Amino acid sequence: MTENFEQHDLAERLDLIETMIAEGRRTTKNWGWTFILWGFAYYVAMAWAASGHPALAWPVTMAVAGVVTGILASRREHNNPSTTLGRAMAAIWISLGISIFLLMMSLAWSRHVDPHASVAIVCAMLGMANSTSSILLRWKVQFACALVWWASAVAACFVSDSLCTVVFLTAIFLCQIVFGIYGMLAVSRQHKQGAAHA
């Protein structure tokens, strides 16, 4: 009797974990817009820096993107209950954002910016955040983004200046904009399926 109860209890716990992971994946897909927003913010910062204002470009663009994200996120989260997994995911991405902001701002203001090292570090950090999220959510698509970021980090160390920029722009496009669009389309598809079943 006890063994059957323990097996039933274990099965319920596993089901709960699987449900939490699926919910986390759905929640991440709901945040697809943030990946797109930050992808475009990176493009704006890079274009602005290339026009001769690197000391202002990254800090100002990232600060504006952070404020916009905060405002839009607070409106969205007002209606959604917080979960442990959701807070863990938020902690990963907020910590990443602060780390990249402080790093890029400090490098720009100290004039120690090396394009190859900066791209490699940012790509490695983004790879870590995507990898951590994908492992927590058991989501292969996001792990593919982590692989692209890590490959870009390695490539940035070995390619020419112009190719380094191309590598970074391509990684941003694939892992921010395309991944964000994928998430938003997946959410839309789920809503349509839910409406069809209702």
Side-chain angles (χ1 to χ4, degrees):
M1 174 88 174
T2 304
E3 186 177 326
N4 286 339
F5 179 75
E6 288 176 2
Q7 287 178 348
H8 180 71
D9 186 47
L10 179 61
E12 284 181 351
R13 289 180 187 194
L14 289 174
D15 285 344
L16 177 62
I17 291 168
E18 289 296 326
T19 301
M20 289 172 61
I21 290 170
E23 180 59 33
R25 201 176 298 145
R26 262 191 309 279
T27 301
T28 301
K29 289 175 185 175
N30 281 329
W31 287 86
W33 62 271
T34 59
F35 285 89
I36 297 168
L37 171 70
W38 283 90
F40 282 112
Y42 294 151
Y43 283 157
V44 168
M46 290 177 73
W48 188 4
S51 72
H53 302 285
L56 287 176
W58 283 97
V60 171
T61 307
M62 297 300 103
V64 169
V67 168
V68 170
T69 301
I71 291 169
L72 294 176
S74 67
R75 290 182 180 177
R76 292 176 61 92
E77 287 302 303
H78 183 69
N79 299 326
N80 298 325
S82 179
T83 64
T84 302
L85 185 58
R87 286 189 303 275
M89 299 301 294
I92 291 166
W93 289 97
I94 290 169
S95 298
L96 171 77
I98 292 168
S99 298
I100 289 177
F101 177 79
L102 291 173
L103 172 71
M104 297 309 293
M105 182 181 63
S106 299
L107 288 173
W109 286 354
S110 68
R111 302 196 187 276
H112 289 125
V113 177
D114 172 76
H116 294 271
S118 296
V119 168
I121 291 167
V122 169
C123 288
M125 292 170 72
L126 285 162
M128 181 278 307
N130 277 276
S131 172
T132 304
S133 296
S134 72
I135 291 167
L136 285 171
L137 299 175
R138 296 182 186 172
W139 196 10
K140 293 177 183 175
V141 174
Q142 194 166 21
F143 191 75
C145 289
L147 293 176
V148 170
W149 283 121
W150 287 331
S152 299
V154 172
C157 297
F158 295 99
V159 297
S160 67
D161 289 353
S162 59
L163 200 50
C164 182
T165 301
V166 170
V167 165
F168 192 41
L169 292 172
T170 303
I172 291 168
F173 179 73
L174 293 174
C175 301
Q176 295 293 127
I177 297 170
V178 171
F179 179 69
I181 291 169
Y182 166 78
M184 292 177 73
L185 290 175
V187 168
S188 176
R189 193 169 36 249
Q190 288 172 348
H191 287 303
K192 286 179 184 176
Q193 289 173 350
H197 286 93

